[in-house]
Amino acid sequence: MSSSDRSPAVDVKTYEVRTYGCQMNVHDSERLAGLLEDAGYVRAPEGSDGDADVVVFNTCAVRENADNRLYGNLGRLAPRKAQRPGMQIAVGGCLAQKDRDTIVKKAPWVDVVFGTHNIGKLPVLLERARVQEEAQVEIAESLEAFPSTLPTRRESAYAAWVSISVGCNNTCTFCIVPALRGKEKDRRPGDILAEVEALVAEGVSEITLLGQNVNAYGSDIGDREAFSKLLRACGKIDGLERVRFTSPHPRDFTDDVIAAMAETPNVMPQLHMPLQSGSDTVLKAMRRSYRQERYLGIIEKVRAAIPDAAITTDIIVGFPGETEEDFEQTLHVVREARFAQAFTFQYSKRPGTPAATMEDQIPKEVVQARYERLVALQEEISWEENKKQVGRTLELMVAEGEGRKDDATRRLSGRAPDNRLVHFTKPEQDVRPGDVVTVEVTYAAPHHLLAEGPVLDVRHTRAGDAWQKRQEADQAKPAGVMLGLPKIGAPAPLPVATGSGCGCD
């Protein structure tokens, strides 16, 4: 049948995916988008805010009020769904894995509930819910397919997540993720490297290796040095300019990994190393399996091998039983480690975790006061560390959407090798996301750098070409999709996005 014989176009079936939580969820959401586009849906315009035929919530269970947030959002969509025949709502992710049947009991207008292990089933479950006119709840207890084997609609054309493992073997008392994502399961090194090579062939120049506990990679396949070998293997891939990884665990951070980082040119001088607490007593209560001395020893070794490394961390304030002395130990580690940035969290109960039922829960006002002291100290250190960058000449990979004021200031934004955000003067030459520019840093703020002088050099890259190709393909997409018939004018598969694992790391 020729295209002229087809009936006029049809309703465009649109989708929206809302993502909460860690980078693993961001990675999963790219796959969910890919699955939906493979099934004939079109992404809803920016700012549609629930005005789509399918709205998918990819949830997180790490925060105490995660369920309240979800049900609030579902409640706001209920009247819209009642007025829009055929609209469907799906809930997936960690909270779906945990709450299962509770979701459709509390929000009976939800059509599909799926878990962390079976995201590939979403299109089938949506169709089944439509045909049977009843909610479909399907939660797998073990992984059905690595997310990276599924279709994808990546957010970036020049940078990509690559999942190397799923699940976690740790038993941190504040974290529910291992119960929801299961024990660690590693991908075969050959499969990982094949995916990286395919991404580079599409124009991707930066990859971030992703795992709940990324440097424990190899425990499932019986090779304690598998992660450092993987970093070195990535260093041999022609065209791959930047390699990052997130998030490691101090327990598994070994000298061979530090050596691989230092000796592999495309592994970037950046490390996100979750601390959580500087107190040995609190670390023991958290079941973190390392102590302050071990943590600071790792930082010292990294700095000796990679002097320019930017080290970031996660810290929890107000864990049950934390005393003023314990908190002072955290401040001590922050002063000693001199983090480029710290992601600080006030402890909140995660239902289902041992810490939620511990005695000596810290009063909110005490947690708040400690949190403010920690943030003030880290802001001071971040600013001092950033001031050391003034006068340095840096190569930046031009980023998309990183500088909220770029249009107003006539600037562009990019990421330095150590992942610092740099805003720079827009050059006369055409520059695209994924291209590389050389600039001199002229000013430092706590959370970004400025390069206010002229750009010293512009290097157009295959990654920039990939970004441009995607833009052109998106603009050329047909206004409608012929559902149930072969797709017309669909672009070839295109590239990818970027880097702390789960907030519980």
Side-chain angles (χ1 to χ4, degrees):
M1 182 171 65
S2 70
S3 59
S4 60
D5 295 327
R6 292 190 178 99
S7 46
V10 217
D11 302 321
V12 180
K13 291 289 186 181
T14 58
Y15 76 89
E16 176 189 345
V17 180
R18 300 186 185 183
T19 308
Y20 305 95
C22 67
Q23 279 84 347
M24 193 66 77
N25 271 17
V26 175
H27 181 63
D28 285 351
S29 288
E30 291 184 337
R31 305 297 167 177
L32 293 169
L35 286 160
L36 291 168
E37 294 197 4
D38 219 38
Y41 292 87
V42 174
R43 192 180 204 168
E46 286 291 328
S48 57
D49 192 25
D51 191 20
D53 294 289
V54 172
V55 179
V56 183
F57 292 87
N58 192 7
T59 64
C60 172
V62 168
R63 293 289 162 214
E64 183 180 19
N65 65 351
D67 53 349
N68 294 334
R69 186 178 186 186
L70 171 65
Y71 294 120
N73 285 324
L74 290 175
R76 281 189 285 277
L77 283 186
R80 185 170 300 178
K81 187 172 191 288
Q83 296 166 6
R84 182 170 182 159
M87 179 181 177
Q88 291 184 296
I89 299 172
V91 179
C94 287
L95 193 63
Q97 187 80 19
K98 180 173 78 76
D99 284 0
R100 307 182 180 220
D101 296 319
T102 306
I103 293 172
V104 291
K105 287 176 183 174
K106 288 188 174 182
W109 55 91
V110 168
D111 299 276
V112 171
V113 178
F114 62 102
T116 58
H117 298 310
N118 64 332
I119 66 174
K121 288 287 186 66
L122 176 60
V124 172
L125 294 172
L126 287 167
E127 180 65 9
R128 196 186 300 164
R130 185 185 66 78
V131 172
Q132 297 182 6
E133 297 184 340
E134 64 179 12
Q136 302 295 308
V137 179
E138 188 170 307
I139 306 291
E141 297 303 328
S142 59
L143 188 70
E144 293 185 350
F146 268 99
S148 295
T149 64
L150 300 171
T152 184
R153 202 298 181 190
R154 299 182 187 272
E155 290 301 315
S156 169
Y158 53 88
W161 304 106
V162 175
S163 177
I164 69 170
S165 65
V166 295
C168 180
N169 294 336
N170 293 316
T171 57
C172 302
T173 55
F174 55 80
C175 181
I176 198 170
V177 168
L180 303 179
R181 289 201 177 258
K183 292 290 185 182
E184 180 176 324
K185 186 169 178 58
D186 296 335
R187 289 178 75 191
R188 291 175 59 252
D191 292 341
I192 297 167
L193 293 171
E195 181 182 356
V196 174
E197 288 171 349
L199 290 167
V200 172
E202 291 176 0
V204 169
S205 60
E206 176 178 308
I207 60 128
T208 300
L209 302 175
L210 183 63
Q212 229 86 46
N213 181 8
V214 71
N215 61 317
Y217 177 74
S219 62
D220 183 45
I221 57 179
D223 184 352
R224 291 180 60 85
E225 295 191 352
F227 186 61
S228 61
K229 292 175 182 175
L230 184 61
L231 291 177
R232 292 182 186 275
C234 287
K236 297 176 182 176
I237 296 176
D238 187 39
L240 180 58
E241 297 196 18
R242 296 186 173 193
V243 178
R244 307 186 191 276
F245 58 88
T246 194
S247 279
H249 191 294
R251 184 194 70 182
D252 303 298
F253 205 81
T254 48
D255 291 351
D256 61 296
V257 174
I258 298 173
M261 291 177 67
E263 296 165 10
T264 310
N266 66 355
V267 175
M268 294 293 96
Q270 173 215 352
L271 175 64
H272 183 79
M273 179 68 77
L275 169 66
Q276 306 304 8
S277 174
S279 162
D280 289 354
T281 302
V282 174
L283 288 170
K284 183 178 179 181
M286 289 177 167
R287 266 192 233 143
R288 287 294 287 174
S289 70
Y290 58 87
R291 299 297 177 258
Q292 180 188 118
E293 183 179 5
R294 157 82 172 145
Y295 186 93
L296 287 174
I298 292 171
I299 301 300
E300 185 177 353
K301 286 181 179 178
V302 170
R303 288 250 158 82
I306 315 167
D308 292 334
I311 301 174
T312 58
T313 196
D314 295 332
I315 300 173
I316 296 172
V317 177
F319 188 80
E322 180 188 76
T323 64
E324 177 63 22
E325 184 180 350
D326 292 326
F327 178 65
E328 286 291 344
Q329 287 299 306
T330 296
L331 297 180
H332 168 71
V333 175
V334 170
R335 292 187 187 102
E336 290 292 309
R338 299 198 64 80
F339 300 114
Q341 191 174 1
F343 300 91
T344 52
F345 306 92
Q346 298 185 37
Y347 172 75
S348 64
K349 293 180 181 179
R350 281 80 156 173
T353 63
T357 57
M358 285 181 176
E359 297 180 356
D360 297 326
Q361 300 284 330
I362 310 300
K364 171 66 178 172
E365 61 272 15
V366 175
V367 177
Q368 181 68 34
R370 289 176 183 170
Y371 174 79
E372 290 173 3
R373 288 162 60 195
L374 174 61
V375 168
L377 174 62
Q378 182 56 52
E379 287 277 303
E380 180 184 325
I381 292 171
S382 294
W383 201 359
E384 289 172 357
E385 291 301 304
N386 274 0
K387 286 175 182 176
K388 295 176 183 177
Q389 304 297 311
V390 174
R392 289 190 65 193
T393 299
L394 301 176
E395 268 202 340
L396 312 179
M397 183 176 289
V398 181
E400 183 174 28
E402 295 256 29
R404 288 173 295 181
K405 298 179 181 177
D406 282 353
D407 287 340
T409 57
R410 292 275 304 159
R411 292 185 184 126
L412 297 175
S413 298
R415 291 281 174 176
D418 64 9
N419 212 36
R420 282 182 165 93
L421 178 63
V422 184
H423 306 300
F424 62 94
T425 303
K426 192 172 184 177
E428 294 297 322
Q429 292 169 262
D430 217 21
V431 178
R432 308 157 302 179
D435 287 337
V436 174
V437 298
T438 304
V439 300
E440 181 179 324
V441 178
T442 57
Y443 175 81
H447 302 291
H448 68 267
L449 304 171
L450 290 181
E452 298 163 299
V455 169
L456 304 177
D457 185 56
V458 173
R459 176 163 61 88
H460 290 130
T461 65
R462 291 170 59 252
D465 294 342
W467 179 87
Q468 185 171 338
K469 182 180 176 184
R470 170 180 280 196
Q471 296 299 109
E472 292 167 354
D474 284 347
Q475 290 167 8
K477 279 182 181 178
V481 173
M482 309 293 293
L483 297 179
L485 296 168
K487 286 184 276 186
I488 307 299
L494 283 165
V496 195
T498 237
S500 156
C502 172
C504 62
D505 290 325

